[in-house]
Amino acid sequence: MKLKSLKITAIMIFLSLAVSAQDWIVPDDQKNVANPLPYNLENVKKGKELFLKNCKSCHGDPGKNNVLPLVPPPVDITSEKMQKNTEGEIFYKITHGRGAMPQFGATISDDDRWRIVNYIQNFNPARQPMLVNAPATKAKLLASVNEQEKKVEIFAEYLAADGYIKLPNAEITISAKKNFGNIEIGKVRTGENGRAIFTIPETLIGDEEGYVNIVVALDETFIADVVTLDKAKVGQLKQVQKLIRPGVLWSTNENIQIWLLISYICVTGAAWLTIGYVAFQLFRIKKSSKTESSNIS
Amino acid sequence: MNKIESPAESRKMLDKIMTDLTRSITKKDELTRFWFFILIMFIIVGVWGWIIQIKTGLGVTGMRDYVSWGMYIANFVFFVAVSLIGFLISSALALLKISWAKPISRVAEQVAIAAVALAGIIIVMDMGRPDRFLNVFLHGRFASPIIWDVTVVTTYLTISVLLFYLPLIPDLALMRDHMADKLPKWKIKLYTILALGWKGNPEQYKIIYHSMRILMLLIIPVGLSIHTVTSWLFASTLRSGWDTTILGPYFVAGAFVAGTAAVIIVMFVYRVRYRLKDYFEDLHFDYMGKLLVFVCLVYLYFNINEYLVPGYKMKLGEGIHLRELFVGNYSVMFWFVQLTGLVLPIVLLLFRYFRKPFPIMVISFVVLVASWLKRYIIVIPTLEHPFLPVQNVPDHFKHYSPTSTEIMITIFSFVSAMLIITILAKLFPVITMWEYAEEKGIDKKYFSEKP
């Protein structure tokens, strides 16, 4: 088994050395395929999401050059090397991969791959960037859960020149708190009055009694505390499978066999009562030496 | 028993018995100091090892994911086993009215107390977070053999201490009354307190006899449980080598072998060191030798059952385990244990010569070492062969070998047990004086005479 994996590694190293020696040539007809999706905020944003999910682990954060140390290395998407690719080239490379660069043709849809291309284009010096890093504004969120109607009511404010005022048209993410982090259950936008109402989906599963902690957050263009609401009964009951069959001896204290518990208590109790009785005899010895002064009978 | 009539003779005799039997207490020489020095040095080293272990965690031991019970647990089982002798000699034999066992019963109790106390300490030392020890009681599951084990170990320790203490009370009074000039003040003070103002009136003797009898009866089920429950820690799993119904009696029988050997060694040391030839007589060693043969035979019988039956079938997991013992990595240790720990004592001790004090002491020592290794063989090889494949782990996860810290701490436990026995011998007579004197025909009335 060991030998086999050694062999594979050897072949991989050989291959990667071999390919790195040459440039990544994209067939001419592919090179100039035009991007069918328009370069706009929506597509770039979606592309960013996809990039964070699928590519960041190797290519790192844009502009930070914190790529994974592979041979040949993945490139930072803001780098010149990346940006001198045409859109068609990038699309082709994502689709087919090479060496350590996976092929995404089968896992990410054509449209989504083009969206990623759009996102990479955001860092192209020849383009007007769609995502600008405006300084984040301070904001505040107020939220409460309406248990009867299964709705989350939200009010958002942001810090303007003269104090906090209502924040219209901001995207708010609603999640449910789980044991290992939050799971997103939906998004809403605030209206003109800074308010938003989110209807909790019927399918949300709570704990054994249906309780859920709803978490409300603004996107990262705002500096605002994430609001974690108190437990509310807005989810379905979690079906907990009883893993221990009734009738087994090894069990938790909740479903211990009653006869076992009684036996334990009786046996231990009897032993310690007897010990207690003997200890009491020691007192009798002591008492007897006080009351009687006789030497011997 | 033949009554000694003349008061003068009685007094003289009692005096001699007291001088002899308190020699362990009065004797103070270089050797004693040296012995304490050695013990305490080793204990300091062991405690230092433990501090390292607490600071760094159980990673300093050889225990890893697969072998998570190592030398400590083997050692724990060994000490629980040794402690069982207290129940055999001072209760079972006494209830059967086997009189030769009487002078030995205090030695047996000393060994039992030291062993069971250490068993408790070792368990704490095996814990990665000993500060969470109380959680065993706070969050214990009543369905878990571990809780049963903790319960029964504490109960057994308490009963053993009481069984040691009760027949000691008249002795304490004797020393309080007769030895004020020979012993330091604090000792006399200790005896006075512990003697509970003993007067030696018939009512008090009656209470002692009565309580002793109750304890002797009580310790039989408790004694059997302590090692049976310890065996259930193993037997209630599905692991090859542990998953057998015979494990309870198997452990108990093995315990008697280990305990008898330990008592013989301690008896021999007392006999030589405190010149007690007339008390631990050749006859006692002879009988203990026969007892050892007997318990070894029982244990041999269980061993044959334990290995032959699964060995005949060689079920997949069991077969891997057994092959490892018979011809594999553990074969040298396994056959050493079976031969020197079982076959050898049975064969040799059949000859009268080997039941003489010195030879039987040497044999007992070998048996005791083999008993310890036997526990190692019971605990570790099984853990090295889990049912699920062992994959993608470093090599030292696959095979267990104890680290120096573990060995240091294990040595600590032996030395501590010896220290407890030594302290008991330095504080209290090693044979019950009043019982012995009575056996020799001295009337009880002379005990309570003030000099």
Side-chain angles (χ1 to χ4, degrees):
Chain A
M1 197 188 80
K2 256 195 186 152
L3 202 71
K4 206 170 158 195
S5 62
L6 252 173
K7 260 189 204 158
I8 292 176
T9 341
I11 291 171
M12 275 177 66
I13 289 174
F14 176 77
L15 271 181
S16 57
L17 284 178
V19 287
S20 71
Q22 45 186 276
D23 281 336
W24 193 341
I25 310 287
V26 176
D28 277 339
D29 56 327
Q30 304 287 325
K31 212 172 185 165
N32 298 315
V33 179
N35 190 340
L37 298 181
Y39 176 71
N40 61 18
L41 182 67
E42 195 192 335
N43 283 329
V44 171
K45 261 194 160 172
K46 188 81 212 294
K48 179 181 179 186
E49 247 171 58
L50 289 161
F51 178 85
L52 293 181
K53 221 189 257 170
N54 297 294
C55 325
K56 184 188 143 140
S57 53
C58 293
H59 286 274
D61 303 296
K64 291 203 179 151
N65 233 325
N66 51 353
V67 298
L68 207 65
L70 297 171
V71 183
V75 286
D76 191 298
I77 54 167
T78 64
S79 67
E80 205 207 314
K81 184 155 186 250
M82 176 66 87
Q83 293 299 342
K84 76 176 187 232
N85 285 296
T86 64
E87 287 187 69
E89 277 176 321
I90 297 178
F91 185 79
Y92 178 88
K93 288 175 181 177
I94 302 174
T95 310
H96 297 283
R98 183 175 82 162
M101 166 70 196
Q103 52 190 72
F104 289 95
T107 49
I108 302 179
S109 71
D110 285 7
D111 280 357
D112 278 349
R113 288 204 307 283
W114 281 117
R115 288 193 177 98
I116 298 177
V117 173
N118 271 327
Y119 174 60
I120 295 175
Q121 288 300 303
N122 184 61
F123 302 98
N124 193 324
R127 296 255 192 189
Q128 176 73 29
M130 288 287 160
L131 299 171
V132 262
N133 279 355
T137 9
K138 270 197 171 172
K140 250 199 255 176
L141 271 178
L142 289 172
S144 64
V145 182
N146 183 331
E147 276 194 2
Q148 272 82 44
E149 295 175 29
K150 297 209 170 178
K151 291 205 157 98
V152 187
E153 289 152 10
I154 302 151
F155 176 59
E157 295 174 307
Y158 75 101
L159 189 61
D162 45 352
Y164 279 98
I165 54 169
K166 64 192 181 209
L167 170 62
N169 200 27
E171 191 180 64
I172 295 186
T173 310
I174 291 99
S175 327
K177 197 173 150 189
K178 295 279 170 180
N179 284 340
F180 301 102
N182 299 338
I183 178 166
E184 186 182 316
I185 51 179
K187 286 185 170 20
V188 275
R189 280 190 172 275
T190 52
E192 283 310 311
N193 53 3
R195 293 181 185 276
I197 290 186
F198 176 78
T199 312
I200 297 170
E202 285 296 323
T203 48
L204 179 67
I205 294 175
D207 62 11
E208 284 94 327
E209 283 138 38
Y211 284 102
V212 190
N213 286 103
I214 297 286
V215 179
V216 180
L218 275 164
D219 69 33
E220 65 266 36
T221 50
F222 296 97
I223 307 173
D225 286 339
V226 172
V227 177
T228 306
L229 297 170
D230 287 344
K231 268 188 182 178
K233 206 168 188 158
V234 289
Q236 294 187 14
L237 308 193
K238 182 161 93 181
Q239 300 295 329
V240 199
Q241 207 188 339
K242 280 245 183 298
L243 291 176
I244 304 175
R245 236 190 305 144
V248 291
L249 280 179
W250 46 272
S251 197
T252 51
N253 271 348
E254 292 88 75
N255 42 7
I256 185 175
Q257 300 282 300
I258 197 75
W259 63 264
L260 190 67
L261 186 63
I262 291 176
S263 315
Y264 174 87
I265 291 173
C266 287
V267 170
T268 318
W272 280 92
L273 274 181
T274 318
I275 291 176
Y277 173 74
V278 171
F280 171 68
Q281 299 304 308
L282 295 178
F283 283 101
R284 279 187 57 206
I285 291 181
K286 187 144 192 156
K287 218 173 107 203
S288 144
S289 48
K290 270 188 196 135
T291 50
E292 236 177 297
S293 57
S294 83
N295 203 353
I296 208 84
S297 55
Chain B
M1 105 185 75
N2 44 332
K3 207 112 182 125
I4 304 173
E5 289 299 345
S6 108
E9 208 178 319
S10 289
R11 290 194 189 107
K12 218 180 104 200
M13 183 87 177
L14 181 64
D15 207 49
K16 179 176 156 35
I17 291 175
M18 279 189 57
T19 323
D20 284 344
L21 290 183
T22 55
R23 195 168 294 126
S24 68
I25 306 172
T26 48
K27 195 164 182 166
K28 274 213 169 51
D29 55 7
E30 285 304 307
L31 195 61
T32 313
R33 264 180 236 130
F34 180 67
W35 175 240
F36 270 115
F37 172 76
I38 292 283
L39 293 183
I40 288 170
M41 280 337 268
F42 273 107
I43 286 180
I44 290 174
V45 173
V47 169
W48 177 54
W50 194 32
I51 291 174
I52 292 178
Q53 182 183 302
I54 292 176
K55 272 197 184 146
T56 351
L58 282 180
V60 297
T61 69
M63 292 184 274
R64 291 293 180 267
D65 293 28
Y66 297 100
V67 182
S68 51
W69 279 357
M71 209 166 177
Y72 295 153
I73 295 294
N75 201 26
F76 162 77
V77 177
F78 171 78
F79 273 106
V80 174
V82 168
S83 79
L84 219 60
I85 195 63
F87 136 71
L88 178 66
I89 290 187
S90 54
S91 156
L93 295 190
L95 285 174
L96 290 172
K97 299 218 176 347
I98 294 177
S99 58
W100 62 262
K102 261 194 181 168
I104 302 172
S105 72
R106 190 166 286 165
V107 177
E109 280 312 322
Q110 286 180 344
V111 172
I113 291 176
V116 76
L118 259 298
I121 293 174
I122 291 162
I123 283 298
V124 177
M125 289 183 145
D126 184 54
M127 291 178 173
R129 292 289 304 266
D131 51 309
R132 295 185 182 171
F133 171 67
L134 278 185
N135 285 2
V136 174
F137 299 98
L138 297 179
H139 306 290
R141 289 188 302 116
F142 292 107
S144 159
I146 291 190
I147 284 299
W148 308 343
D149 208 43
V150 172
T151 314
V152 80
V153 166
T154 23
T155 313
Y156 188 76
L157 177 61
T158 316
I159 300 178
S160 295
V161 170
L162 279 173
L163 260 183
F164 181 79
Y165 177 52
L166 275 170
L168 188 67
I169 296 174
D171 276 4
L172 292 167
L174 272 175
M175 293 193 293
R176 173 196 66 193
D177 296 342
H178 293 264
M179 305 199 40
D181 46 340
K182 287 189 214 141
L183 291 174
K185 270 224 172 59
W186 68 269
K187 270 191 187 168
I188 297 296
K189 196 154 188 183
L190 179 73
Y191 297 152
T192 315
I193 296 172
L194 288 179
L196 304 175
W198 177 267
K199 286 258 167 52
N201 54 40
E203 193 200 340
Q204 287 181 326
Y205 276 112
K206 226 175 98 195
I207 298 175
I208 292 269
Y209 287 132
H210 173 65
S211 312
M212 287 288 291
R213 210 175 159 73
I214 290 177
L215 285 182
M216 282 177 189
L217 288 171
L218 178 63
I219 204 171
I220 290 181
V222 176
L224 282 176
S225 316
I226 183 175
H227 218 36
T228 309
V229 171
T230 304
S231 84
W232 288 350
L233 298 181
F234 302 91
S236 55
T237 69
L238 295 169
R239 314 280 308 240
S240 333
W242 295 348
D243 180 15
T244 78
T245 51
I246 205 181
L247 220 63
Y250 180 66
F251 268 41
V252 172
F256 289 152
V257 175
T260 311
V263 166
I264 291 174
I265 297 172
V266 178
M267 269 166 66
F268 180 81
V269 173
Y270 287 164
R271 174 180 151 114
V272 174
R273 177 88 179 107
Y274 305 130
R275 283 182 274 133
L276 297 178
K277 250 193 176 68
D278 302 335
Y279 300 86
F280 296 122
E281 299 165 39
D282 283 8
L283 168 129
H284 291 118
F285 285 88
D286 189 64
Y287 279 132
M288 285 301 276
K290 285 176 182 160
L291 181 67
L292 187 54
V293 172
F294 175 69
V295 290
C296 277
L297 279 172
V298 175
Y299 195 36
L300 179 69
Y301 168 67
F302 284 147
N303 263 278
I304 292 170
N305 275 282
E306 169 69 10
Y307 291 115
L308 187 72
V309 177
Y312 194 86
K313 295 175 277 193
M314 280 296 193
K315 283 189 281 188
L316 185 64
E318 208 82 27
I320 294 170
H321 174 66
L322 289 178
R323 223 166 265 128
E324 188 81 353
L325 295 188
F326 296 159
V327 289
N329 280 333
Y330 286 93
S331 56
V332 176
M333 201 193 272
F334 177 79
W335 291 113
F336 173 80
V337 164
Q338 297 303 65
L339 291 177
T340 62
L342 272 179
V343 180
L344 191 78
I346 292 174
V347 173
L348 290 184
L349 291 177
L350 286 178
F351 300 97
R352 182 180 299 265
Y353 168 77
F354 288 103
R355 295 198 302 268
K356 295 227 171 307
F358 184 71
I360 197 180
M361 188 275 287
V362 175
I363 293 173
S364 295
F365 186 77
V366 176
V367 169
L368 200 64
V369 172
S371 296
W372 191 89
L373 292 172
K374 174 80 183 175
R375 304 313 182 277
Y376 191 93
I377 276 187
I378 291 175
V379 176
I380 285 117
T382 291
L383 286 170
E384 284 184 357
H385 302 108
F387 287 124
L388 293 176
V390 177
Q391 283 175 339
N392 303 326
V393 291
D395 228 34
H396 66 285
F397 274 47
K398 296 178 190 161
H399 299 286
Y400 169 81
S401 56
T403 60
S404 50
T405 317
E406 252 170 312
I407 295 172
M408 253 152 74
I409 292 180
T410 302
I411 291 178
F412 161 88
S413 67
F414 292 128
V415 176
S416 306
M418 286 193 261
L419 184 71
I420 293 180
I421 295 177
T422 313
I423 290 177
L424 288 177
K426 286 277 148 203
L427 280 180
F428 311 115
V430 294
I431 292 178
T432 318
M433 297 192 292
W434 64 277
E435 248 180 14
Y436 190 85
E438 208 180 9
E439 199 87 344
K440 285 280 170 260
I442 302 171
D443 196 279
K444 277 206 190 79
K445 70 181 173 209
Y446 299 106
F447 299 167
S448 34
E449 279 180 353
K450 304 245 154 131

